[in-house]
Amino acid sequence: RLEEIDAIVNASGSVEQMIPDGACLIQQALGLPGVPSFSVHATCLSFVAALQVAAGLLERRDARFHNILIVSAEVSSAG
């Protein structure tokens, strides 16, 4: 359920636009104002890197994050 999402991580090597970041666009599209959102851009390893970042946030002792949404999509080259 959307109301249970504590953070949004956009994991992609390609960007829709530079500013604002794609994670903010996802946050807006989902109607989740105030939910922390950021992107991990690591070429073809973006999803794996996002999993590592999310795992680190989930393992923190302060337990601020319990449910992190990772969104990953790529645009294949045309031609």
Side-chain angles (χ1 to χ4, degrees):
R1 297 185 313 224
L2 287 177
E3 63 272 7
E4 295 179 359
I5 295 173
D6 300 315
I8 300 167
V9 181
N10 174 33
S12 67
S14 55
V15 297
E16 183 174 338
Q17 63 187 45
M18 294 303 289
I19 299 175
D21 181 64
C24 298
L25 300 175
I26 294 166
Q27 177 201 51
Q28 181 182 27
L30 293 175
L32 296 173
V35 173
S37 57
F38 60 94
S39 290
V40 174
H41 299 295
T43 64
C44 59
L45 296 174
S46 296
F47 184 76
V48 174
L51 281 175
Q52 290 181 318
V53 169
L57 292 172
L58 292 168
E59 291 175 351
R60 292 178 51 98
R61 289 181 178 249
D62 61 12
R64 177 176 177 195
F65 301 104
H66 300 284
N67 298 294
I68 298 174
L69 173 65
I70 299 175
V71 179
S72 183
E74 294 297 334
V75 177
S76 59
S77 60

